[in-house]
Amino acid sequence: MIVDWEAEFQRTIDADSRIEPRDHMPESYRATLIRQIAQHAHSEIIGMQPEGNWITRAPSLKRKAILMAKVQDEAGHGLYLYSAAETLGVSRDQLIELLHTGRQKYSSIFNYPTLTWADIGAVGWLVDGAAICNQVPLCRCSYGPYARGMVRICKEESFHQRQGFEILRVLSAGTAAQHAMAQDAVDRWWWPAIMMFGPTDDESTHSQQSMTWGIKRFSNDELRQRFIDMTVPQADALDLTLPDPALRWNDERGHYDFGPIDWAEFWQVVNGDGPCNRQRLAQRVAAHAEGAWVRDAATAYAAKRADPGAGQAGSSTAAA
């Protein structure tokens, strides 16, 4: 019996079921998933840097412990995602090489600096809030390993968003200087957070095809609007002002209207000319090189565990 694998793949997509690693899939579907999952994994790893920058300067032991836990979570998210990508037939070493040589990208939001402690709150509240809007629908992604990995990631990102909100709540309710610091951070992070959803739908190269395949569930503009609608009431609760004079509720649309996005800035940062692009990548490459001995030791230990006799033979030879 001859099976029409293309038709079988499409039936699975149309039934809103999951594609698993051993199932047939078009090469273009596989390539799209590798690109998206790899970019997501790279973003989690690079995203450790802006917040890791404040671990030694956190204002209390409690804040330091929470921030360390958050950065560790991001490392774990990267590992989950690299593992999901590997089920598509690409190795982690290949993906890391593509990142280090600039042939794969990470989220442009991490090319902005964290200048004050309030930035850590703004990153948690706005950046992780935008990430949640993007990522919760991925729990229903058509590719099984990616969807299952996103369930745990989204639970942890939800904690990160609440942690950021709480930092800003404390600062906003503090002294005039603390409130001003919180407001300054929001002023700087609001528009980059809005840009996280990518270009407008009519300018997005991959969005429509990814939605057809069930990789994405909502368009860039739909997710951006959802994030804005969710965030405006939270800003009111924080007694902080979002830096957009055009931001107002539209009864007819049932959504908030917002001002024009600076797409020139977006593309400048995406194309490698943001405030911290070079610094972020150089730091990642250096950290990878410095950690080579850890990877070598882990590989040697795994080999020894796989063949215990080899280790005993080595010990006997040394004793002789």
Side-chain angles (χ1 to χ4, degrees):
M1 177 182 177
I2 298 175
V3 178
D4 185 341
W5 292 113
E6 294 288 340
E8 185 66 24
F9 169 81
Q10 195 56 52
R11 278 194 293 272
T12 302
I13 296 295
D14 293 342
D16 205 18
S17 297
R18 295 274 172 80
I19 302 296
E20 297 297 340
R22 294 186 179 182
D23 293 342
H24 171 83
M25 63 186 79
E27 190 54 39
S28 52
Y29 176 82
R30 184 188 305 275
T32 296
L33 280 167
I34 289 172
R35 177 191 56 79
Q36 179 170 327
I37 298 172
Q39 179 171 323
H40 193 168
H42 300 330
S43 299
E44 297 285 357
I45 299 302
I46 296 287
M48 297 164 65
Q49 292 184 36
E51 294 177 300
N53 180 42
W54 277 90
I55 288 175
T56 59
R57 297 182 287 165
S60 70
L61 182 59
K62 174 185 174 182
R63 295 293 188 192
K64 185 191 296 284
I66 293 172
L67 186 58
M68 287 177 65
K70 181 182 179 185
V71 172
Q72 288 175 325
D73 283 349
E74 307 295 0
H77 298 173
L79 294 178
Y80 304 153
L81 292 163
Y82 283 132
S83 295
E86 286 178 311
T87 66
L88 292 159
V90 63
S91 75
R92 191 172 310 186
D93 287 342
Q94 287 175 292
L95 297 178
I96 291 171
E97 175 67 15
L98 290 169
L99 171 66
H100 289 178
T101 55
R103 288 176 289 165
Q104 282 185 342
K105 297 185 182 297
Y106 55 89
S107 178
S108 61
I109 192 73
F110 299 117
N111 292 315
Y112 291 86
T114 44
L115 303 178
T116 70
W117 173 250
D119 286 46
I120 302 304
V123 167
W125 177 45
L126 295 175
V127 175
D128 292 329
I132 290 167
C133 280
N134 253 327
Q135 294 172 13
V136 166
L138 292 175
C139 296
R140 296 165 51 220
C141 168
S142 60
Y143 187 59
Y146 192 22
R148 289 188 288 273
M150 289 311 305
V151 173
R152 178 167 180 173
I153 289 173
C154 285
K155 289 179 180 178
E156 293 177 352
E157 291 291 0
S158 180
F159 161 76
H160 299 169
Q161 194 266 352
R162 291 196 298 272
Q163 176 246 4
F165 183 91
E166 199 265 341
I167 288 174
L168 290 179
R169 182 190 63 78
V170 171
L171 290 173
S172 182
T175 66
Q178 288 172 326
H179 186 279
M181 182 169 65
Q183 183 62 61
D184 172 67
V186 170
D187 289 346
R188 286 182 288 104
W189 285 93
W190 172 249
W191 288 108
I194 295 300
M195 297 176 196
M196 277 181 68
F197 297 93
T200 57
D201 293 345
D202 56 351
E203 294 289 334
S204 178
T205 305
H206 305 287
S207 190
Q208 186 55 54
Q209 184 60 70
S210 291
M211 291 176 66
T212 300
W213 281 329
I215 297 172
K216 288 181 65 170
R217 297 287 174 164
F218 302 98
S219 73
N220 295 353
D221 288 336
E222 288 174 318
L223 291 168
R224 190 176 357 259
Q225 185 68 68
R226 179 179 294 187
F227 172 68
I228 291 170
D229 291 347
M230 174 185 78
T231 306
V232 173
Q234 296 176 11
D236 292 340
L238 288 169
D239 192 26
L240 295 171
T241 303
L242 298 175
D244 181 359
L247 194 62
R248 58 178 56 85
W249 180 256
N250 184 320
D251 280 325
E252 186 176 337
R253 293 199 313 119
H255 296 288
Y256 282 94
D257 291 335
F258 55 96
I261 295 170
D262 185 350
W263 292 114
E265 177 185 334
F266 171 79
W267 288 114
Q268 179 179 340
V269 178
V270 167
N271 291 325
D273 200 21
C276 299
N277 290 61
R278 295 170 185 82
Q279 174 188 334
R280 297 286 187 246
L281 196 54
Q283 244 182 294
R284 175 87 292 273
V285 172
H288 186 73
E290 291 167 6
W293 70 271
V294 179
R295 296 190 297 277
D296 290 344
T299 300
Y301 180 72
K304 182 178 178 180
R305 295 269 294 179
D307 185 8
Q312 292 172 3
S315 299
S316 300
T317 304

